[in-house]
Short mmCIF file of all heavy atoms in Angstrom, two decimals:
data_model
loop_
_atom_site.label_atom_id
_atom_site.label_comp_id
_atom_site.label_asym_id
_atom_site.label_seq_id
_atom_site.Cartn_x
_atom_site.Cartn_y
_atom_site.Cartn_z
N PRO A 140 -11.26 -12.62 1.28
CA PRO A 140 -12.51 -13.13 0.70
C PRO A 140 -13.67 -12.17 0.95
O PRO A 140 -13.89 -11.74 2.08
CB PRO A 140 -12.71 -14.46 1.44
CG PRO A 140 -11.31 -14.87 1.81
CD PRO A 140 -10.59 -13.58 2.13
N GLY A 141 -14.41 -11.92 -0.11
CA GLY A 141 -15.57 -11.04 0.00
C GLY A 141 -15.24 -9.57 0.05
O GLY A 141 -16.17 -8.75 0.23
N LYS A 142 -13.97 -9.22 -0.07
CA LYS A 142 -13.57 -7.81 -0.04
C LYS A 142 -12.86 -7.43 -1.31
O LYS A 142 -12.34 -8.26 -2.04
CB LYS A 142 -12.69 -7.53 1.20
CG LYS A 142 -13.38 -7.78 2.52
CD LYS A 142 -12.49 -7.41 3.69
CE LYS A 142 -13.19 -7.61 5.02
NZ LYS A 142 -12.30 -7.23 6.14
N GLU A 143 -12.80 -6.14 -1.57
CA GLU A 143 -12.15 -5.64 -2.75
C GLU A 143 -10.63 -5.72 -2.60
O GLU A 143 -10.06 -5.64 -1.49
CB GLU A 143 -12.58 -4.21 -3.03
CG GLU A 143 -14.04 -4.06 -3.36
CD GLU A 143 -14.41 -2.63 -3.69
OE1 GLU A 143 -13.56 -1.77 -3.56
OE2 GLU A 143 -15.57 -2.41 -4.13
N ARG A 144 -9.96 -5.82 -3.71
CA ARG A 144 -8.52 -5.84 -3.71
C ARG A 144 -8.01 -4.42 -3.30
O ARG A 144 -8.54 -3.41 -3.76
CB ARG A 144 -7.98 -6.22 -5.08
CG ARG A 144 -6.48 -6.21 -5.22
CD ARG A 144 -6.06 -6.78 -6.55
NE ARG A 144 -6.67 -6.05 -7.66
CZ ARG A 144 -6.69 -6.47 -8.89
NH1 ARG A 144 -6.20 -7.65 -9.20
NH2 ARG A 144 -7.26 -5.75 -9.83
N GLU A 145 -6.95 -4.44 -2.51
CA GLU A 145 -6.37 -3.21 -2.02
C GLU A 145 -4.96 -3.05 -2.53
O GLU A 145 -4.22 -4.03 -2.68
CB GLU A 145 -6.37 -3.16 -0.51
CG GLU A 145 -7.73 -3.16 0.19
CD GLU A 145 -7.60 -3.17 1.70
OE1 GLU A 145 -7.00 -4.11 2.23
OE2 GLU A 145 -8.10 -2.20 2.33
N GLU A 146 -4.59 -1.81 -2.78
CA GLU A 146 -3.18 -1.50 -3.07
C GLU A 146 -2.46 -1.28 -1.75
O GLU A 146 -2.67 -0.28 -1.09
CB GLU A 146 -3.08 -0.25 -3.96
CG GLU A 146 -3.82 -0.38 -5.32
CD GLU A 146 -3.75 0.83 -6.14
OE1 GLU A 146 -2.84 1.67 -5.90
OE2 GLU A 146 -4.63 1.02 -7.00
N VAL A 147 -1.63 -2.24 -1.40
CA VAL A 147 -0.96 -2.16 -0.09
C VAL A 147 0.13 -1.11 -0.12
O VAL A 147 0.30 -0.33 0.78
CB VAL A 147 -0.35 -3.52 0.28
CG1 VAL A 147 0.38 -3.44 1.62
CG2 VAL A 147 -1.48 -4.56 0.33
N GLY A 148 0.92 -1.11 -1.21
CA GLY A 148 2.01 -0.17 -1.33
C GLY A 148 2.82 -0.43 -2.60
O GLY A 148 2.48 -1.35 -3.36
N CYS A 149 3.82 0.37 -2.80
CA CYS A 149 4.59 0.19 -4.02
C CYS A 149 6.00 0.77 -3.78
O CYS A 149 6.29 1.49 -2.81
CB CYS A 149 3.95 0.89 -5.21
SG CYS A 149 3.68 2.68 -5.00
N ILE A 150 6.89 0.40 -4.70
CA ILE A 150 8.23 0.89 -4.71
C ILE A 150 8.76 0.99 -6.12
O ILE A 150 8.41 0.13 -6.95
CB ILE A 150 9.14 0.02 -3.83
CG1 ILE A 150 10.54 0.61 -3.72
CG2 ILE A 150 9.19 -1.41 -4.36
CD1 ILE A 150 11.42 -0.09 -2.69
N GLY A 151 9.47 2.02 -6.43
CA GLY A 151 10.01 2.21 -7.76
C GLY A 151 11.44 2.73 -7.73
O GLY A 151 12.02 2.85 -6.66
N PRO A 152 11.97 3.05 -8.91
CA PRO A 152 13.33 3.59 -8.94
C PRO A 152 13.44 4.87 -8.14
O PRO A 152 12.56 5.72 -8.11
CB PRO A 152 13.51 3.90 -10.43
CG PRO A 152 12.56 2.97 -11.13
CD PRO A 152 11.36 2.86 -10.22
N ASN A 153 14.55 4.98 -7.39
CA ASN A 153 14.78 6.15 -6.55
C ASN A 153 13.66 6.37 -5.58
O ASN A 153 13.27 7.50 -5.30
CB ASN A 153 15.05 7.36 -7.43
CG ASN A 153 16.16 7.19 -8.41
OD1 ASN A 153 17.23 6.71 -8.04
ND2 ASN A 153 15.92 7.56 -9.66
N ASP A 154 13.16 5.32 -5.04
CA ASP A 154 12.00 5.38 -4.19
C ASP A 154 12.20 4.40 -3.04
O ASP A 154 12.54 3.24 -3.23
CB ASP A 154 10.74 4.99 -4.99
CG ASP A 154 9.43 5.28 -4.25
OD1 ASP A 154 9.45 5.33 -3.01
OD2 ASP A 154 8.39 5.38 -4.91
N GLY A 155 11.95 4.90 -1.83
CA GLY A 155 12.11 4.06 -0.66
C GLY A 155 10.91 3.24 -0.35
O GLY A 155 10.90 2.49 0.65
N GLY A 156 9.85 3.36 -1.16
CA GLY A 156 8.62 2.64 -0.91
C GLY A 156 7.58 3.47 -0.20
O GLY A 156 7.91 4.31 0.64
N ARG A 157 6.34 3.21 -0.52
CA ARG A 157 5.24 3.98 0.08
C ARG A 157 4.05 3.05 0.31
O ARG A 157 3.64 2.34 -0.62
CB ARG A 157 4.88 5.13 -0.82
CG ARG A 157 3.69 5.96 -0.31
CD ARG A 157 3.29 7.02 -1.30
NE ARG A 157 4.32 8.00 -1.45
CZ ARG A 157 4.47 9.11 -0.69
NH1 ARG A 157 3.59 9.32 0.29
NH2 ARG A 157 5.44 9.95 -0.94
N GLY A 158 3.53 3.10 1.49
CA GLY A 158 2.28 2.35 1.77
C GLY A 158 1.10 3.12 1.24
O GLY A 158 1.05 4.36 1.31
N ARG A 159 0.13 2.40 0.74
CA ARG A 159 -1.08 2.99 0.21
C ARG A 159 -2.27 2.91 1.19
O ARG A 159 -3.20 3.68 1.05
CB ARG A 159 -1.51 2.29 -1.12
CG ARG A 159 -0.57 2.59 -2.25
CD ARG A 159 -0.66 4.06 -2.68
NE ARG A 159 0.01 4.28 -3.95
CZ ARG A 159 -0.61 4.18 -5.14
NH1 ARG A 159 -1.87 3.87 -5.21
NH2 ARG A 159 0.09 4.43 -6.26
N ILE A 160 -2.18 2.04 2.13
CA ILE A 160 -3.23 1.88 3.13
C ILE A 160 -2.73 2.52 4.44
O ILE A 160 -1.66 2.17 4.94
CB ILE A 160 -3.57 0.42 3.35
CG1 ILE A 160 -4.00 -0.25 2.05
CG2 ILE A 160 -4.71 0.28 4.39
CD1 ILE A 160 -4.23 -1.73 2.18
N GLU A 161 -3.53 3.41 5.00
CA GLU A 161 -3.11 4.12 6.18
C GLU A 161 -2.76 3.18 7.32
O GLU A 161 -1.85 3.43 8.11
CB GLU A 161 -4.18 5.13 6.60
CG GLU A 161 -4.33 6.31 5.67
CD GLU A 161 -3.09 7.17 5.60
OE1 GLU A 161 -2.39 7.26 6.63
OE2 GLU A 161 -2.82 7.77 4.55
N SER A 162 -3.52 2.08 7.43
CA SER A 162 -3.34 1.19 8.55
C SER A 162 -2.00 0.45 8.53
O SER A 162 -1.59 -0.08 9.56
CB SER A 162 -4.49 0.17 8.63
OG SER A 162 -4.50 -0.64 7.45
N VAL A 163 -1.32 0.38 7.39
CA VAL A 163 -0.08 -0.38 7.28
C VAL A 163 1.13 0.55 7.33
O VAL A 163 2.26 0.09 7.50
CB VAL A 163 -0.01 -1.24 6.04
CG1 VAL A 163 -1.29 -2.05 5.88
CG2 VAL A 163 0.23 -0.41 4.77
N LYS A 164 0.94 1.83 7.18
CA LYS A 164 2.05 2.74 7.21
C LYS A 164 2.74 2.73 8.56
O LYS A 164 2.06 2.81 9.58
CB LYS A 164 1.58 4.16 6.86
CG LYS A 164 1.08 4.33 5.44
CD LYS A 164 0.62 5.74 5.15
CE LYS A 164 0.17 5.86 3.70
NZ LYS A 164 -0.30 7.26 3.42
N GLY A 165 4.05 2.62 8.53
CA GLY A 165 4.81 2.49 9.75
C GLY A 165 4.98 1.06 10.21
O GLY A 165 5.85 0.81 11.05
N ARG A 166 4.22 0.13 9.65
CA ARG A 166 4.36 -1.30 9.99
C ARG A 166 4.89 -2.11 8.82
O ARG A 166 5.58 -3.11 9.04
CB ARG A 166 3.00 -1.87 10.40
CG ARG A 166 2.39 -1.22 11.63
CD ARG A 166 1.15 -1.96 12.11
NE ARG A 166 0.06 -1.97 11.10
CZ ARG A 166 -0.38 -3.06 10.51
NH1 ARG A 166 0.10 -4.24 10.81
NH2 ARG A 166 -1.37 -2.97 9.64
#
């Protein structure tokens, strides 16, 4: 609430997934 929407991460074909926010990478 009151904050902008963030792209947390994504995953696609032949992709193991990638976090977009530094604070969530590794978690």
Side-chain angles (χ1 to χ4, degrees):
K142 297 184 179 180
E143 296 182 353
R144 180 173 56 195
E145 297 178 300
E146 299 177 23
V147 179
C149 60
I150 185 171
N153 303 313
D154 190 339
R157 178 185 294 272
R159 290 293 192 89
I160 305 175
E161 291 295 329
S162 63
V163 311
K164 293 180 179 179
R166 299 188 297 116

